[in-house]
Amino acid sequence: MPVTLPPVLRPTEALDPSRALPGAAGPQGGASFADALSDALGKAEQLQQEGDRNAQEVALGGGNLHEAALAMEKADVAMRLAVKVRNKVVDAYQDIMRMSV
C-alpha cells in the first residue's frame, strides 16, 4: 500500500534554498540542511546494501560471519537513527501546524 506524503514532507523540495524569502539568512558557504540530510540518507542506504551483500555471502558459504554481523549492526543503527530523525521532523511539523497565527 503506497504512502502519499503531504507536500511539506516530500523529499527536500520544501528545503530548496532558491525558494527562500529575500533577505532571509542562508548558509554561508556551507552545505544546506537538505544536502546534509540527503547525504546521511544515502550513507544509510549504502550501509543497508553492504549489510545485505555480506549476509548473502555468508549464506552462500563464503565471506566472514564477524564482518557480516558488524555490517548488519551498522545498517541497523543507521536505520534507527534515520527513523528517529524522521519522527523529530514530523513532530516539529505537527507543532508548527498547531500554532495559531
Side-chain angles (χ1 to χ4, degrees):
M1 177 178 189
V3 177
T4 305
L5 296 175
V8 173
L9 297 179
R10 289 198 185 124
T12 65
E13 67 186 22
L15 301 174
D16 184 7
S18 65
R19 295 174 57 190
L21 295 174
Q28 300 295 325
S32 69
F33 177 74
D35 292 339
L37 188 60
S38 179
D39 289 344
L41 289 175
K43 288 178 185 176
E45 183 179 0
Q46 285 177 337
L47 288 171
Q48 288 285 342
Q49 291 172 352
E50 183 179 331
D52 290 344
R53 193 174 333 105
N54 284 342
Q56 188 175 22
E57 286 177 9
V58 168
L60 294 174
N64 184 340
L65 181 60
H66 181 70
E67 288 178 7
L70 285 175
M72 290 173 23
E73 187 62 28
K74 285 180 185 179
D76 181 54
V77 169
M79 184 56 69
R80 284 190 278 148
L81 177 63
V83 168
K84 286 187 182 218
V85 169
R86 183 214 49 197
N87 290 343
K88 289 291 185 178
V89 169
V90 169
D91 288 343
Y93 170 77
Q94 290 173 342
D95 287 344
I96 290 170
M97 294 309 292
R98 282 193 290 260
M99 286 182 182
S100 61
V101 179

